[in-house]
Amino acid sequence: MFEKTLVLIKPDGVKRKLIGKIITFYEDKNLIISSLKMIRANDKIVEQHYVEHKDKPFFSDLINYLTEGNIVAMVIEGENAINLVRKINGATDPLTADMGSIRGMFGIEKQRNLVHASDNIDNAEREIKLWFPKVENEK
Ligand code: CMP
């Protein structure tokens, strides 16, 4: 199924100058980057983004991490884009992520894990609307 998904390159990915390498992983699998911007996110948008983790013990650390520097937000499109991007990113913990994945190759720790990608169709739609409000997302 042709799908859209939301990907964030987190502040550690930007600081470590991995933007180009990370985007190449997606493009090399024939996925399309259909929207892209660099932003410094505020607490409000990150709290909304991670609403399902709001009761987790690491929630406030996660907000601090995502707001500590610039991030790159992208909409990525293609056949089975949601699961394909998650496979390319690798498991949350770089220790268990496949070695050929972004986190397997470049990840150092579980929280600061370089990238985020939507985990299902509903979240993809919600996250795309959050980071790319309607007017900007219309072509
Ligand atoms: P992401 O795929 O963006 O989804 C939720 C994020 O929370 C995850 O990547 C990590 O950055 C972070 N995270 C998940 N599990 C943990 C954990 N056990 N401890 C700290 N951070 C975590």
Side-chain angles (χ1 to χ4, degrees):
M1 192 165 68
F2 193 87
E3 295 170 339
K4 290 184 182 190
T5 189
L6 187 279
V7 171
L8 303 176
I9 302 178
K10 299 176 179 179
D12 51 332
V14 174
K15 274 190 205 125
R16 288 176 56 194
K17 303 186 172 67
L18 291 171
I19 297 171
K21 285 198 177 91
I22 288 171
I23 289 176
T24 298
F25 272 75
Y26 306 128
E27 291 195 322
D28 281 353
K29 286 294 276 187
N30 204 32
L31 290 160
I32 298 156
I33 314 294
S34 59
S35 299
L36 182 148
K37 64 181 173 186
M38 180 178 281
I39 52 167
R40 181 78 187 254
N42 58 30
D43 287 17
K44 200 171 147 232
I45 191 167
V46 178
E47 281 168 9
Q48 281 177 265
H49 175 80
Y50 281 128
V51 64
E52 63 200 59
H53 296 296
K54 72 177 186 329
D55 297 324
K56 302 264 172 67
F58 56 82
F59 186 67
S60 64
D61 282 347
L62 186 57
I63 304 306
N64 289 338
Y65 162 38
L66 267 289
T67 55
E68 74 183 20
N70 286 337
I71 65 178
V72 174
M74 294 178 265
V75 178
I76 299 188
E77 301 183 359
E79 278 301 312
N80 305 310
I82 294 172
N83 283 336
L84 182 54
V85 166
R86 290 181 69 78
K87 188 155 178 74
I88 293 168
N89 287 356
T92 304
D93 188 345
L95 258 186
T96 54
D98 289 343
M99 280 313 290
S101 67
I102 291 168
R103 288 165 175 163
M105 285 184 73
F106 307 118
I108 294 167
E109 54 175 274
K110 193 170 185 174
Q111 178 158 82
R112 302 177 69 85
N113 59 1
L114 300 165
V115 280
H116 164 85
S118 313
D119 59 0
N120 59 53
I121 290 179
D122 291 343
N123 274 340
E125 201 176 312
R126 180 181 68 79
E127 292 170 8
I128 289 168
K129 276 195 193 128
L130 181 65
W131 294 94
F132 293 92
K134 206 166 185 326
V135 173
E136 193 178 340
N137 203 32
E138 277 173 358
K139 298 258 163 53

